[in-house]
Amino acid sequence: MIKRRIIKLRTYQGKEKEIRHSPWRLQLICRHVAGLPVQEALTQLEFLNKVKAPLVQKVLKRTSNLADIRDGLQPSQLEVAECFATHGKHLKRMKIMGRGRMGVMHHRFCHMRVVLREIDFPLKIYTAKTISEKKRWMEHQLTAKADYEARRADREELQTLERMAALKEKERQAED
């Protein structure tokens, strides 16, 4: 039953390719945010002391904006379902050493993939094991609902302003 509910949720993918960084070190950052709600993940990345943490943060923001554009979902309604780094192409360079010897240096590149999934709040509350965890998910649900309502009100206001501007434009054209 839980798997069927999870499959029905909307997902959004974000990618970043050819990152000049070691895939193992980027995977540490990705593992840090996987499974967290997007707002919490962005906060964690803000204070994470790793070189490529801002890059992962940028990809998360870009993907959450994609969800907002497509379906109107706010970051408070999304969670990081997957985040992982894979190997890219490596550049091999010559490493010159003493006594006329040489070795091979590898300049590593990697790719990163982020999958954001809509949060099923009733399922999260149901599967929570402790009362404090259930309370936390209920509070998170209330903030997500408030964010959604505020965003919907902003969109409706913008649409009414656009309609009024179109009507004024038609009146001007009718006068000319």
Side-chain angles (χ1 to χ4, degrees), residues 115-163:
V115 178
L116 300 183
R117 181 175 52 216
E118 180 182 14
I119 298 177
D120 187 4
F121 287 108
L123 181 66
K124 291 284 188 182
I125 293 169
Y126 176 74
T127 57
K129 295 184 179 179
T130 62
I131 293 173
S132 61
E133 197 175 341
K134 288 183 182 199
K135 285 181 182 177
R136 195 184 85 209
W137 280 113
M138 286 180 178
E139 290 171 3
H140 194 78
Q141 182 180 15
L142 290 175
T143 58
K145 189 174 183 180
D147 288 347
Y148 175 74
E149 294 296 329
R151 180 68 177 157
R152 195 183 78 195
D154 289 344
R155 283 188 179 165
E156 288 175 358
E157 183 181 353
L158 184 64
Q159 288 175 351
T160 56
L161 290 173
E162 287 175 351
R163 280 190 225 123

Side-chain angles (χ1 to χ4, degrees), residues 20 90-95 103-109:
R20 176 63 186 89
H90 302 318
L91 296 177
K92 291 184 179 178
R93 294 293 181 251
M94 195 168 56
K95 181 178 181 181
V104 179
M105 266 191 311
H106 297 277
H107 293 288
R108 301 187 187 280
F109 285 79

Side-chain angles (χ1 to χ4, degrees), residues 23-148:
W24 298 288
R25 285 191 273 163
L26 190 63
Q27 182 65 23
L28 286 174
I29 302 169
C30 287
R31 257 192 272 151
H32 193 72
V33 297
L36 295 176
V38 171
Q39 286 182 330
E40 202 171 312
L42 291 172
T43 306
Q44 290 290 329
L45 288 171
E46 187 78 32
F47 298 103
L48 189 63
N49 192 17
K50 297 282 183 186
V51 174
K52 293 297 178 178
L55 177 78
V56 177
Q57 190 177 23
K58 184 180 85 171
V59 174
L60 275 177
K61 283 181 183 177
R62 188 171 61 209
T63 311
S64 67
N65 286 340
L66 180 72
D68 185 25
I69 291 168
R70 285 189 185 165
D71 295 322
L73 291 174
Q74 299 305 307
S76 58
Q77 297 172 305
L78 298 169
E79 69 178 341
V80 182
E82 297 175 11
C83 182
F84 58 88
T86 57
H87 290 270
K89 291 187 177 181
H90 302 318
L91 296 177
K92 291 184 179 178
R93 294 293 181 251
M94 195 168 56
K95 181 178 181 181
I96 298 171
M97 299 187 280
R99 297 187 179 188
R101 292 178 296 174
M102 66 177 200
V104 179
M105 266 191 311
H106 297 277
H107 293 288
R108 301 187 187 280
F109 285 79
C110 63
H111 310 303
M112 184 180 66
R113 182 170 177 244
V114 174
V115 178
L116 300 183
R117 181 175 52 216
E118 180 182 14
I119 298 177
D120 187 4
F121 287 108
L123 181 66
K124 291 284 188 182
I125 293 169
Y126 176 74
T127 57
K129 295 184 179 179
T130 62
I131 293 173
S132 61
E133 197 175 341
K134 288 183 182 199
K135 285 181 182 177
R136 195 184 85 209
W137 280 113
M138 286 180 178
E139 290 171 3
H140 194 78
Q141 182 180 15
L142 290 175
T143 58
K145 189 174 183 180
D147 288 347
Y148 175 74

